[in-house]
């Protein structure tokens, strides 16, 4: 049976721990990150086109609608690698904030790779898709698998770990977009406080919620919080209002808080809405 249409979820990720170890010769940093998925997601709909072309549209967010779009790049990469003569119409329903530190673009690319694998009948394994994904961006490999993982190298080497204990996550995004490249370019590693990534992996494996909260850490805060004081302000407010723990995700500017109790999540959500327009209450998917 030929499949003509595929609809696939592209969830956002947060970093529970993010460390940069050194700058490499290729310009990237060697990183160690603990990443996990949350249930805030874009939806990617792929429709088979008999013509040899890639069409892309999006609703609900401002993203480029040409080869700069990471979902478009994913389709182009598969086409070129496997000499595909069919086409695809990609429709993105955008719900993940753009340039926010939540890997929205990477997740759209990963979902497109997975969806086209079905639509074009390529029969590639997840490992093969993740390897291809790394050519598009460092976070795409993780997004192909989802779940929870330790990511090393420039972020493309994925080591699966068990899921954290269930909890709530509050995401708050100030109205600014942050360029990941710029943040890494401004990162100074000398004298910086490194998060305990190994400890975080252990705390997750042991499902120790309090330990997870106490070990949250992100070296990129040293850059983004200085560049954008509003990110620091949201962190302080979220903590003051009663989050169990708070951290910036990726290169920012999104800040997330963890909660074990829904009633407290609700209270902090209401408190934050006063001065931050974009706030999302979601669950950790983790697996
Ligand atoms: P990461 O956490 O992986 O660094 P991010 O959440 O900070 O990613 P994205 O939302 O992925 O950032 O967007 C980064 C840039 O990629 C933006 O400048 C955006 O215009 C571009 N982009 C290309 N394709 C997409 C897409 N499908 N969705 C969102 N952004 C996209």
């Amino acid at each position: 049976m030929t499949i003509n249409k595929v609809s696939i979820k592209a969830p956002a990720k947060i970093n529970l721990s993010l460390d940069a170890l050194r700058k490499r010769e290729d310009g990237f940093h060697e990183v160690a990150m603990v990443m996990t998925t949350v249930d805030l997601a874009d939806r990617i709909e792929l429709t088979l086109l008999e013509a040899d072309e890639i069409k892309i549209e999006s609703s609900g967010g401002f993203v480029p609608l040409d080869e700069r779009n990471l979902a478009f790049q994913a389709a182009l990469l598969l086409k070129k690698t496997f000499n595909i003569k069919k086409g695809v119409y990609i429709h993105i329903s955008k719900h993940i904030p753009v340039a926010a530190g939540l890997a929205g673009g990477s997740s759209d690319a990963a979902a497109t790779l997975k969806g086209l694998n079905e639509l074009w009948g390529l029969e590639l394994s997840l490992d093969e898709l993740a390897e291809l994904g790394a050519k598009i961006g460092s976070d795409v490999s993780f997004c192909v698998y989802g779940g929870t993982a330790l990511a090393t190298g420039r972020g493309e080497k994925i080591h699966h770990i068990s899921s954290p204990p269930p909890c709530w996550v509050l995401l708050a995004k100030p109205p600014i977009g942050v360029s990941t490249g710029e943040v890494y370019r401004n990162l100074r590693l000398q004298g910086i406080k490194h998060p305990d990534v190994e400890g975080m992996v252990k705390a997750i494996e042991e499902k120790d919620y309090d330990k997870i909260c106490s070990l949250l850490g992100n070296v990129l805060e040293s850059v983004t919080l200085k560049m954008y004081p509003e990110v620091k302000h949201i962190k302080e407010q979220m903590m003051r209002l009663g989050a169990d723990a708070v951290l910036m995700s990726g290169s920012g500017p999104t800040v997330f808080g963890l909660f074990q109790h829904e009633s407290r999540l609700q209270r902090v959500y209401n408190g934050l809405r006063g001065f931050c327009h974009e706030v999302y209450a979601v669950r950790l998917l983790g697996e």
Side-chain angles (χ1 to χ4, degrees):
M1 198 184 74
T2 328
I3 308 170
N4 288 317
K5 206 169 191 153
V6 175
S7 178
I8 189 160
K9 253 184 166 185
K13 64 84 190 153
I14 55 171
N15 301 89
L16 297 174
S17 187
L18 194 163
D19 197 12
L21 309 170
R22 64 181 175 86
K23 191 156 183 199
R24 313 188 326 179
E25 273 173 14
D26 62 7
F28 287 100
H29 279 81
E30 192 73 20
V31 296
M33 316 188 274
V34 177
M35 305 163 98
T36 190
T37 42
V38 296
D39 69 350
L40 172 67
D42 294 342
R43 180 158 286 282
I44 308 287
E45 262 182 25
L46 304 171
T47 310
L48 188 67
L49 297 178
E50 286 311 325
D52 185 0
E53 62 181 337
I54 302 168
K55 284 188 179 166
I56 187 159
E57 271 176 24
S58 152
S59 53
F62 293 102
V63 290
L65 295 172
D66 50 31
E67 34 316 294
R68 286 170 300 168
N69 195 297
L70 300 184
F72 189 105
Q73 287 178 24
L76 196 61
L77 179 67
L78 285 180
K79 257 180 142 330
K80 283 193 174 151
T81 310
F82 300 102
N83 196 23
I84 309 286
K85 296 295 175 205
K86 289 176 200 161
V88 64
Y89 165 64
I90 304 169
H91 184 269
I92 306 176
S93 304
K94 200 80 201 148
H95 302 287
I96 305 172
V98 177
L102 298 171
S106 304
S107 195
D108 292 352
T112 303
L113 289 174
K114 290 202 277 187
L116 285 177
N117 191 33
E118 277 185 50
L119 204 64
W120 288 343
L122 301 174
E123 297 185 0
L124 299 167
S125 66
L126 276 189
D127 291 347
E128 288 168 313
L129 292 173
E131 205 178 314
L132 279 164
K135 296 184 182 175
I136 303 166
S138 303
D139 284 346
V140 180
S141 305
F142 168 76
C143 294
V144 165
Y145 300 108
T148 306
L150 167 69
T152 58
R154 60 176 170 85
E156 88 290 11
K157 291 189 187 141
I158 306 301
H159 318 264
H160 302 284
I161 59 175
S162 64
S163 56
C167 67
W168 292 93
V169 182
L170 200 60
L171 302 169
K173 185 198 162 277
I176 44 173
V178 168
S179 151
T180 305
E182 191 184 358
V183 170
Y184 273 105
R185 273 193 299 282
N186 285 303
L187 180 63
R188 300 288 167 266
L189 288 175
Q190 221 177 7
I192 210 166
K193 188 174 173 288
H194 291 276
D196 181 0
V197 181
E198 240 174 74
M200 177 60 82
V201 171
K202 198 154 166 269
I204 291 172
E205 298 281 3
E206 288 168 358
K207 306 241 182 273
D208 187 337
Y209 179 77
D210 293 335
K211 195 107 180 255
I212 292 171
C213 286
S214 71
L215 289 176
L216 289 184
N218 180 350
V219 279
L220 300 182
E221 282 192 343
S222 64
V223 182
T224 310
L225 266 53
K226 250 186 230 147
M227 282 166 79
Y228 303 102
E230 53 268 62
V231 180
K232 188 161 176 251
H233 183 58
I234 288 185
K235 267 195 85 180
E236 286 164 358
Q237 291 300 325
M238 217 193 264
M239 210 58 221
R240 188 185 60 81
L241 286 164
D244 297 334
V246 173
L247 190 73
M248 182 183 83
S249 185
S251 52
T254 302
V255 168
F256 69 86
L258 299 183
F259 298 82
Q260 233 169 0
H261 302 293
E262 196 182 349
S263 53
R264 191 183 283 199
L265 169 96
Q266 196 62 51
R267 213 177 57 223
V268 179
Y269 177 88
N270 292 337
L272 266 183
R273 284 291 296 264
F275 56 90
C276 182
H277 183 61
E278 273 191 272
V279 188
Y280 307 85
V282 298
R283 289 201 69 105
L284 213 64
L285 282 177
E287 50 189 33

